[in-house]
Amino acid sequence: MGYDAHFRVWRGDDHSGELQDFTVEVNEGEVVLDIIHRLQATQAPDLAVRWNCKAGKCGSCSAEVNGRPRLMCMTRMSTFTTDEVVTVTPMRTFPVIRDLVTDVSFNYQKAREIPSFTPPADLKPGEYRMQQRDVERSQEFRKCIECFLCQDVCHVVRDHEDNKNAFAGPRFLMRVAELEMHPLDAADRRDMAQDEFGLGYCNITKCCTEVCPENIKITDNALIPMKERVADRKYDPVVWLGNKLFRR
Ligand code: SF4
Ligand code: F3S
Ligand code: FES
């Protein structure tokens, strides 16, 4: 059964903006992105929104719905009561370009800073067999659709803009962890995780894991194992002594 919903949508640019109220038709089976599209078609033709697949796979339609980071195309209207006000705002952690569209280039910058996969130079094709659990670990991390909702929700940058230089965020610390735990990656990623990508800023709040639409266990399977690897090295007395003797 259709009904009229009360939507509040943020309109503006990086200088100023405000929430605008709309009364808009909702039909059975629709998602928040359908309603945003209806607003574009009927009441707000210049409303800016980024989207592409409408199937939870391209990671484009990230926004905040009633304050929670969500994919608009995967947020069913049936999760709200018919008298509930549905507020849609752009991701808070990134600068607004216009309306619901944010500038997520911070994430691409961090991606570029991570040294790529580094297999041993003398390893020839067919010379190595991967263990199934190593395959599965990479496969889990590679489900990422780069929606950046985890990056948006993490308080380290959400509440502290000035941490953006020092902290790569959960999505990219997960990438560093994936490479560090890859049996064929010869680079040592532990110092870079800590010193360049800010692993120490993460205090395991797990908000990133909670919002991930791909249900990747970012904290348990990537960030905590990475922290353990960094700590092992720091507190290993042999490593410590070696560093003292040979690194000066
Ligand atoms: Fe989105 Fe999950 Fe990838 Fe983060 S890890 S960018 S929440 S799919
Ligand atoms: Fe942030 Fe996730 Fe750590 S939300 S604090 S990166 S567990
Ligand atoms: Fe592709 Fe929503 S439109 S994930």
Side-chain angles (χ1 to χ4, degrees):
M1 281 285 286
Y3 66 96
D4 284 340
H6 181 176
F7 259 62
R8 305 194 82 191
V9 182
W10 196 88
R11 309 287 318 268
D13 55 24
D14 59 341
H15 300 301
S16 62
E18 59 176 5
L19 288 166
Q20 270 183 20
D21 290 90
F22 298 95
T23 302
V24 53
E25 179 191 333
V26 175
N27 300 307
E28 201 170 340
E30 289 185 329
V31 294
V32 169
L33 187 59
D34 288 316
I35 311 309
I36 295 295
H37 283 163
R38 180 161 300 121
L39 287 176
Q40 275 184 328
T42 56
Q43 303 180 48
D46 59 342
L47 172 61
V49 56
R50 188 189 282 130
W51 68 285
N52 205 313
C53 69
K54 211 164 171 277
K57 285 295 160 206
C58 72
S60 305
C61 68
S62 302
E64 303 195 3
V65 183
N66 289 353
R68 256 188 89 78
R70 318 255 339 184
L71 293 179
M72 286 186 277
C73 72
M74 297 303 282
T75 306
R76 291 189 173 280
M77 286 305 298
S78 58
T79 55
F80 310 107
T81 56
T82 53
D83 58 354
E84 195 172 347
V85 179
V86 180
T87 304
V88 188
T89 48
M91 284 193 285
R92 192 175 102 186
T93 300
F94 309 117
V96 171
I97 296 174
R98 194 156 69 85
D99 302 338
L100 300 177
V101 177
T102 49
D103 175 359
V104 292
S105 52
F106 162 75
N107 300 286
Y108 302 124
Q109 178 62 37
K110 294 295 174 183
R112 276 194 293 272
E113 288 169 11
I114 300 173
S116 56
F117 178 55
T118 314
D122 53 352
L123 193 79
K124 308 234 167 20
E127 280 187 356
Y128 191 91
R129 279 174 188 271
M130 295 272 286
Q131 302 257 3
Q132 185 60 24
R133 62 179 179 170
D134 291 326
V135 174
E136 282 168 8
R137 187 189 314 108
S138 282
Q139 280 177 338
E140 183 194 13
F141 298 156
R142 285 185 169 247
K143 286 193 300 178
C144 174
I145 58 170
E146 303 225 305
C147 64
F148 306 130
L149 291 176
C150 59
Q151 301 282 99
D152 176 45
V153 82
C154 178
H155 69 98
V156 176
V157 281
R158 186 177 177 88
D159 299 332
H160 308 279
E161 175 78 25
D162 47 345
N163 283 342
K164 279 186 176 167
N165 274 340
F167 184 68
R171 192 270 170 268
F172 297 103
L173 287 167
M174 177 175 85
R175 172 70 179 148
V176 174
E178 180 194 346
L179 291 167
E180 168 64 23
M181 290 189 271
H182 195 297
L184 290 185
D185 188 77
D188 189 339
R189 313 263 171 185
R190 291 173 289 185
D191 282 346
M192 68 174 88
Q194 198 73 356
D195 301 339
E196 290 165 46
F197 299 117
L199 180 65
Y201 285 78
C202 163
N203 55 350
I204 322 183
T205 56
K206 298 198 181 190
C207 308
C208 51
T209 302
E210 276 171 32
V211 300
C212 178
E214 286 293 321
N215 298 314
I216 304 171
K217 294 201 169 65
I218 308 168
T219 322
D220 288 354
N221 291 351
L223 305 181
I224 292 175
M226 195 65 213
K227 278 178 176 285
E228 285 169 352
R229 282 171 176 248
V230 169
D232 278 356
R233 165 133 115 183
K234 250 192 184 147
Y235 302 114
D236 181 328
V238 178
V239 175
W240 180 83
L241 190 65
N243 282 342
K244 274 265 178 239
L245 292 177
F246 302 117
R247 275 225 175 155
R248 289 186 162 190

